[in-house]
Amino acid sequence: MIIAINGNRHQEAHLAEIERLVSAFMRRDDTVVMTDRFLDYLTDRIGSRFAIGIRHIRLTEQPRADLAIAIGGDGAFLKTAAWTGESEIPVAGINTGHLGFLAAFSFDRPGEIERHLLGGHYEVERRALLEATTPAGKFLALNEAAITRGENASMITVDTRINGHHSLTYKGDGLIIATPTGSTAYNLSVGGPILDPSVAGWVISPIAAHSLSVRPLVINDSSLLTADISLRAKNFRLSLDGKTLSLEAPCRLEFRKAPFGINIVKLPEHTFTDTLRTKLGLGG
């Protein structure tokens, strides 16, 4: 097998576990490919011997692999998912961050890594991606697209259309378009609903709406959502999974379901409600 590994550079407490994991893959003659910045970081701290036999590529190059592993928090997972692109390589997360909502594994539970990740006894769950068409090009998001007024004090107006039909006009600090995967992220913090990953829908949630009558809305993910942006200031921000663009207003954005998805590794028989209880403390 070919194993592609990426992670954030805050792993001082987990260097020994990472070295053992990589060694385990290489002992069974798997090919290990690692992003160059992550490999350089680990080599500086573990020693030059660590890099022997490991191939390295840039984060901007799509890996050819049977499995991708993200080591870190949800940010590292999102970057690794973007790294795999449209290849649909299964992505497994090992959480070394704060929440790690998308990660199925943790170095605190080495038995699960040994039995399921190394042993190959895991399940793969397909997640939808959101595609945003902007004046700056097309971009993808696994969690959400957030339209915000940025640093200026002007209220932003987002006039939406669903499949060409006028829907709602949102005025306030901004608007979030979240996937089911992202429904537990920024969307949840502004009072939006949680969607099961199997639900074929997007959540449209206002940020600090000017009107109390405006509420989050769930639409079918087969919809084409058009957003016309206006505000008194010259620029606004569009953030896609944390990557921020500064765009000029007035501006039209389009959001639709991407033609491919992301395959996320999960533990066998582990349900979405299990994750809500263990990661978010809901209902427990």
Side-chain angles (χ1 to χ4, degrees):
M1 289 181 66
I2 302 175
I3 312 296
I5 301 176
N6 178 49
N8 65 39
R9 290 169 290 173
H10 303 285
Q11 305 296 338
E12 280 73 12
H14 303 285
L15 295 174
E17 291 97 330
I18 294 171
E19 185 175 15
R20 282 197 293 270
L21 177 67
V22 172
S23 296
F25 282 123
M26 297 184 74
R27 278 199 304 271
R28 66 184 199 186
D29 292 328
D30 288 337
T31 298
V32 176
V33 180
M34 198 171 289
T35 54
D36 50 5
R37 295 180 70 180
F38 191 49
L39 179 58
D40 289 345
Y41 163 81
L42 293 174
T43 302
D44 285 344
R45 284 152 182 80
I46 297 173
S48 58
R49 59 183 171 78
F50 174 78
I52 297 174
I54 299 176
R55 292 167 46 196
H56 63 88
I57 63 173
R58 293 189 298 271
L59 194 58
T60 54
E61 298 178 59
Q62 189 177 104
R64 294 183 179 180
D66 301 293
L67 175 69
I69 298 176
I71 302 176
D74 286 334
F77 191 98
L78 293 171
K79 287 182 180 178
T80 304
W83 182 39
T84 62
E86 59 187 68
S87 66
E88 302 193 357
I89 300 167
V91 182
I94 301 178
N95 180 38
T96 61
H98 172 63
L99 181 61
F101 194 85
L102 297 169
F105 302 96
S106 169
F107 286 125
D108 295 333
R109 303 188 303 275
E112 291 180 348
I113 293 176
E114 175 71 28
R115 185 165 57 254
H116 297 292
L117 188 58
L118 287 165
H121 303 300
Y122 52 76
E123 296 177 358
V124 175
E125 185 174 70
R126 187 175 177 82
R127 301 287 182 95
L129 288 170
L130 183 67
E131 180 182 87
T133 302
T134 79
K138 291 185 178 181
F139 302 90
L140 299 172
L142 176 59
N143 270 355
E144 78 276 308
I147 303 165
T148 62
R149 58 187 175 85
E151 296 178 354
N152 64 77
S154 300
M155 179 175 65
I156 190 169
T157 299
V158 184
D159 191 39
T160 64
R161 290 180 177 272
I162 299 173
N163 297 324
H165 301 287
H166 187 266
S167 178
L168 298 173
T169 298
Y170 300 88
K171 296 183 178 182
D173 284 359
L175 193 69
I176 298 167
I177 301 97
T179 69
T181 302
S183 68
T184 54
Y186 196 179
N187 165 73
L188 184 62
S189 72
V190 300
I194 295 174
L195 297 187
D196 185 281
S198 64
V199 173
W202 308 133
V203 185
I204 305 173
S205 294
I207 305 170
H210 186 64
S211 172
L212 293 176
S213 64
V214 176
R215 291 290 182 266
L217 174 68
V218 178
I219 66 172
N220 194 291
D221 70 1
S222 65
S223 305
L224 169 63
L225 176 66
T226 303
D228 288 305
I229 318 299
S230 60
L231 71 166
R232 291 180 182 175
K234 182 179 180 181
N235 297 90
F236 69 96
R237 288 180 178 174
L238 174 65
S239 297
L240 300 122
D241 287 351
K243 180 179 181 180
T244 301
L245 305 172
S246 179
L247 300 172
E248 289 189 9
C251 175
R252 171 167 288 188
L253 307 173
E254 290 183 350
F255 302 94
R256 56 172 57 83
K257 184 178 180 179
F260 55 91
I262 291 291
N263 292 317
I264 294 181
V265 170
K266 60 175 242 179
L267 291 170
E269 301 180 359
H270 188 86
T271 67
F272 179 59
T273 51
D274 290 335
T275 303
L276 294 179
R277 283 198 304 270
T278 57
K279 302 283 188 174
L280 296 182
L282 269 65

